[in-house]
Amino acid sequence: MRVFVTGASGHIGSAVVPELIKAGHEVTGLARSGASATAVQALGAEVHRGDLGDPDGLGAAVAGHDAVIHLAFDHATMMAGDFPAAAATDLAVVRALGGALAGTGKTLIGIGLTPTGDPERDAVINANPRSAVSREIVAIGDRGVRTILVAVPPVTHSDQDRTGFIPTLIGIARDAGESGYVDQGANHWPAVHTLDLAVLFRLALEQAPAGSQVFGAAEEGIPVREIAEAIAHHLGLPAVSVPAGQAAAHFRGFPFITVDITMPTAPARELLGWEPTHPGLIADLGEGHYFGR
């Protein structure tokens, strides 16, 4: 297939692109800068220069492609504290992509979660501004597009992870002189190795039925206390409990420190035959690459 990938030079995209090319697909990668274009070319893909601020341009760019894998997101705006604005930009892009693909039977793969039917769980999902994007992708599926949603774990780890949950926690621990978790640290984060996730995106492209929800977790949910203790061990620092009332200050406003998420690991294996082969999170922390930066 000819596949257009947004976020092609990013953490996940830089693994997805070579995985697709290795499997025989032709890939065009979106690049917003000269440096990104060079990185995309080095991965073996064609380059389309553009950015999320031009949704109509992106809609036009996907013409002639069989599928779009949408991985880009305005993380800078989100981390600056304006998550709704970043999500609004993403929604505009997805609408443009959907408009370009409508009625073609072609494929649009995005990141997100479909409604579960559980009111309590759906309330949590809908509290995330990005949930509007997931709902839009589901709606696009009713317009003659093969849509697939991939739920990406909040911890996607590897030596390519520069700005995710784990580098953030490590940076906070270094600054504070201790590796913290909130209260008992009993909340969970699901996890997957970047390279295993790349394989899953390829399998979803090649095999997943239209309308599929694909869960990308290799590990269902790791207690945050266990993660903090592993970080403490590798930094030679104490692991400490931070009272909930002090969490915002201690964790520098990191909004996800108390998030409790689990994600099923069996469905993707059963649907797509996916078998993760790379180290789990705690073992990957043991490789040391997170701590030599």
Side-chain angles (χ1 to χ4, degrees), residues 175-187:
D175 289 347
E178 55 191 19
S179 180
Y181 50 89
V182 177
D183 292 338
Q184 300 303 310
N187 56 310

Side-chain angles (χ1 to χ4, degrees), residues 5-15 17 29-33 35-37 39-40 43:
V5 179
T6 71
S9 64
H11 171 200
I12 296 173
S14 62
V17 168
L30 177 66
R32 64 179 180 177
S33 68
S36 294
V40 170
L43 295 171

Side-chain angles (χ1 to χ4, degrees), residues 121-287:
R121 192 171 181 87
D122 285 346
V124 174
I125 293 172
N126 292 335
N128 185 329
R130 293 187 77 173
S131 64
V133 177
S134 300
R135 292 193 297 272
E136 183 67 21
I137 291 173
V138 171
I140 289 168
D142 295 329
R143 298 165 56 197
V145 181
R146 174 187 172 232
T147 56
I148 299 162
L149 278 172
V150 178
V152 173
V155 177
T156 299
H157 58 90
S158 69
D159 59 3
Q160 297 302 308
D161 178 19
R162 297 287 188 263
T163 60
F165 280 25
I166 300 307
T168 297
L169 274 192
I170 291 171
I172 292 169
R174 282 181 166 141
D175 289 347
E178 55 191 19
S179 180
Y181 50 89
V182 177
D183 292 338
Q184 300 303 310
N187 56 310
H188 300 79
W189 292 344
V192 66
H193 194 284
T194 308
L195 296 179
D196 286 323
L197 182 63
V199 172
L200 183 63
F201 270 99
R202 174 181 60 79
L203 291 173
L205 172 70
E206 295 171 346
Q207 301 179 29
S212 292
Q213 170 72 81
V214 177
F215 293 97
E219 296 178 278
E220 180 175 316
I222 306 167
V224 173
R225 176 172 180 166
E226 187 176 330
I227 298 170
E229 288 175 341
I231 290 171
H233 171 75
H234 291 291
L235 291 178
L237 298 173
V240 301
S241 171
V242 177
Q246 300 174 22
H250 181 92
F251 293 99
R252 303 188 307 214
F254 179 53
F256 306 110
I257 187 61
T258 58
V259 166
D260 187 21
I261 305 173
T262 58
M263 194 176 288
T265 60
R269 291 166 168 81
E270 295 168 358
L271 179 68
L272 302 173
W274 179 54
E275 291 295 338
T277 60
H278 291 85
L281 174 60
I282 302 304
D284 198 22
L285 286 169
E287 297 288 330

